[in-house]
PDB file of all heavy atoms in Angstrom:
ATOM      1  N   CYS A  37     -18.902 -30.327   9.801  1.00 42.00           N
ATOM      2  CA  CYS A  37     -20.043 -29.661  10.378  1.00 42.00           C
ATOM      3  C   CYS A  37     -20.353 -30.073  11.816  1.00 42.00           C
ATOM      4  O   CYS A  37     -20.596 -29.230  12.648  1.00 42.00           O
ATOM      5  CB  CYS A  37     -21.189 -29.895   9.426  1.00 42.00           C
ATOM      6  SG  CYS A  37     -22.622 -29.035   9.852  1.00 42.00           S
ATOM      7  N   ARG A  38     -20.325 -31.325  11.966  1.00 39.00           N
ATOM      8  CA  ARG A  38     -20.659 -31.890  13.338  1.00 39.00           C
ATOM      9  C   ARG A  38     -19.653 -31.376  14.467  1.00 39.00           C
ATOM     10  O   ARG A  38     -19.991 -31.175  15.570  1.00 39.00           O
ATOM     11  CB  ARG A  38     -20.777 -33.323  13.366  1.00 39.00           C
ATOM     12  CG  ARG A  38     -21.896 -33.952  12.455  1.00 39.00           C
ATOM     13  CD  ARG A  38     -21.921 -35.453  12.441  1.00 39.00           C
ATOM     14  NE  ARG A  38     -22.538 -35.810  13.737  1.00 39.00           N
ATOM     15  CZ  ARG A  38     -22.824 -37.095  14.144  1.00 39.00           C
ATOM     16  NH1 ARG A  38     -22.551 -37.985  13.266  1.00 39.00           N
ATOM     17  NH2 ARG A  38     -23.362 -37.366  15.264  1.00 39.00           N
ATOM     18  N   PRO A  53     -19.973 -23.901  10.318  1.00 36.00           N
ATOM     19  CA  PRO A  53     -20.542 -23.731  11.738  1.00 36.00           C
ATOM     20  C   PRO A  53     -21.009 -25.107  12.366  1.00 36.00           C
ATOM     21  O   PRO A  53     -21.364 -25.960  11.653  1.00 36.00           O
ATOM     22  CB  PRO A  53     -21.676 -22.848  11.369  1.00 36.00           C
ATOM     23  CG  PRO A  53     -22.121 -23.106  10.000  1.00 36.00           C
ATOM     24  CD  PRO A  53     -20.890 -23.429   9.321  1.00 36.00           C
ATOM     25  N   ARG A  54     -20.927 -25.027  13.643  1.00 36.00           N
ATOM     26  CA  ARG A  54     -21.426 -26.190  14.405  1.00 36.00           C
ATOM     27  C   ARG A  54     -22.883 -26.111  14.419  1.00 36.00           C
ATOM     28  O   ARG A  54     -23.565 -25.186  14.598  1.00 36.00           O
ATOM     29  CB  ARG A  54     -20.894 -26.201  15.929  1.00 36.00           C
ATOM     30  CG  ARG A  54     -21.299 -27.345  16.716  1.00 36.00           C
ATOM     31  CD  ARG A  54     -21.076 -27.160  18.135  1.00 36.00           C
ATOM     32  NE  ARG A  54     -19.671 -27.042  18.378  1.00 36.00           N
ATOM     33  CZ  ARG A  54     -18.773 -27.971  18.583  1.00 36.00           C
ATOM     34  NH1 ARG A  54     -19.292 -29.245  18.532  1.00 36.00           N
ATOM     35  NH2 ARG A  54     -17.588 -27.745  18.696  1.00 36.00           N
ATOM     36  N   VAL A  55     -23.547 -27.288  14.061  1.00 35.00           N
ATOM     37  CA  VAL A  55     -24.960 -27.390  14.134  1.00 35.00           C
ATOM     38  C   VAL A  55     -25.440 -28.417  15.007  1.00 35.00           C
ATOM     39  O   VAL A  55     -24.653 -29.251  15.598  1.00 35.00           O
ATOM     40  CB  VAL A  55     -25.589 -27.554  12.725  1.00 35.00           C
ATOM     41  CG1 VAL A  55     -25.318 -26.384  11.897  1.00 35.00           C
ATOM     42  CG2 VAL A  55     -24.891 -28.746  12.032  1.00 35.00           C
ATOM     43  N   GLY A  56     -26.764 -28.646  15.336  1.00 40.00           N
ATOM     44  CA  GLY A  56     -27.211 -29.393  16.406  1.00 40.00           C
ATOM     45  C   GLY A  56     -27.386 -30.838  16.255  1.00 40.00           C
ATOM     46  O   GLY A  56     -27.363 -31.603  17.102  1.00 40.00           O
ATOM     47  N   SER A  57     -27.580 -31.304  14.984  1.00 39.00           N
ATOM     48  CA  SER A  57     -27.813 -32.728  14.757  1.00 39.00           C
ATOM     49  C   SER A  57     -27.142 -33.204  13.504  1.00 39.00           C
ATOM     50  O   SER A  57     -26.905 -32.457  12.721  1.00 39.00           O
ATOM     51  CB  SER A  57     -29.345 -32.936  14.722  1.00 39.00           C
ATOM     52  OG  SER A  57     -29.968 -32.314  13.535  1.00 39.00           O
ATOM     53  N   ALA A  58     -27.193 -34.505  13.388  1.00 40.00           N
ATOM     54  CA  ALA A  58     -26.588 -35.102  12.213  1.00 40.00           C
ATOM     55  C   ALA A  58     -27.503 -34.788  11.013  1.00 40.00           C
ATOM     56  O   ALA A  58     -26.980 -34.635   9.856  1.00 40.00           O
ATOM     57  CB  ALA A  58     -26.486 -36.681  12.397  1.00 40.00           C
ATOM     58  N   ASP A  59     -28.779 -34.805  11.198  1.00 40.00           N
ATOM     59  CA  ASP A  59     -29.630 -34.567  10.148  1.00 40.00           C
ATOM     60  C   ASP A  59     -29.454 -33.043   9.533  1.00 40.00           C
ATOM     61  O   ASP A  59     -29.301 -32.811   8.379  1.00 40.00           O
ATOM     62  CB  ASP A  59     -31.213 -34.601  10.498  1.00 40.00           C
ATOM     63  CG  ASP A  59     -31.618 -36.043  10.823  1.00 40.00           C
ATOM     64  OD1 ASP A  59     -30.951 -36.849  10.341  1.00 40.00           O
ATOM     65  OD2 ASP A  59     -32.705 -36.230  11.521  1.00 40.00           O
ATOM     66  N   SER A  60     -29.306 -32.164  10.512  1.00 40.00           N
ATOM     67  CA  SER A  60     -28.993 -30.776  10.045  1.00 40.00           C
ATOM     68  C   SER A  60     -27.691 -30.750   9.383  1.00 40.00           C
ATOM     69  O   SER A  60     -27.456 -29.882   8.413  1.00 40.00           O
ATOM     70  CB  SER A  60     -29.204 -29.752  11.153  1.00 40.00           C
ATOM     71  OG  SER A  60     -28.256 -30.164  12.209  1.00 40.00           O
ATOM     72  N   CYS A  61     -26.707 -31.502   9.856  1.00 42.00           N
ATOM     73  CA  CYS A  61     -25.328 -31.459   9.244  1.00 42.00           C
ATOM     74  C   CYS A  61     -25.500 -31.893   7.857  1.00 42.00           C
ATOM     75  O   CYS A  61     -24.807 -31.346   6.850  1.00 42.00           O
ATOM     76  CB  CYS A  61     -24.346 -32.267  10.086  1.00 42.00           C
ATOM     77  SG  CYS A  61     -23.820 -31.622  11.585  1.00 42.00           S
ATOM     78  N   SER A  62     -26.180 -33.011   7.675  1.00 39.00           N
ATOM     79  CA  SER A  62     -26.329 -33.622   6.339  1.00 39.00           C
ATOM     80  C   SER A  62     -27.007 -32.670   5.391  1.00 39.00           C
ATOM     81  O   SER A  62     -26.622 -32.593   4.166  1.00 39.00           O
ATOM     82  CB  SER A  62     -27.128 -34.973   6.489  1.00 39.00           C
ATOM     83  OG  SER A  62     -26.467 -35.901   7.236  1.00 39.00           O
ATOM     84  N   THR A  64     -26.881 -29.474   5.607  1.00 40.00           N
ATOM     85  CA  THR A  64     -25.900 -28.340   5.210  1.00 40.00           C
ATOM     86  C   THR A  64     -24.967 -28.785   4.179  1.00 40.00           C
ATOM     87  O   THR A  64     -24.807 -28.103   3.230  1.00 40.00           O
ATOM     88  CB  THR A  64     -25.211 -27.985   6.543  1.00 40.00           C
ATOM     89  OG1 THR A  64     -26.028 -27.577   7.509  1.00 40.00           O
ATOM     90  CG2 THR A  64     -24.156 -26.792   6.192  1.00 40.00           C
TER      91      THR A  64
END
Side-chain angles (χ1 to χ4, degrees):
C37 181
R38 295 183 72 177
R54 182 189 300 273
V55 292
S57 68
D59 290 341
S60 58
C61 287
S62 298
T64 301

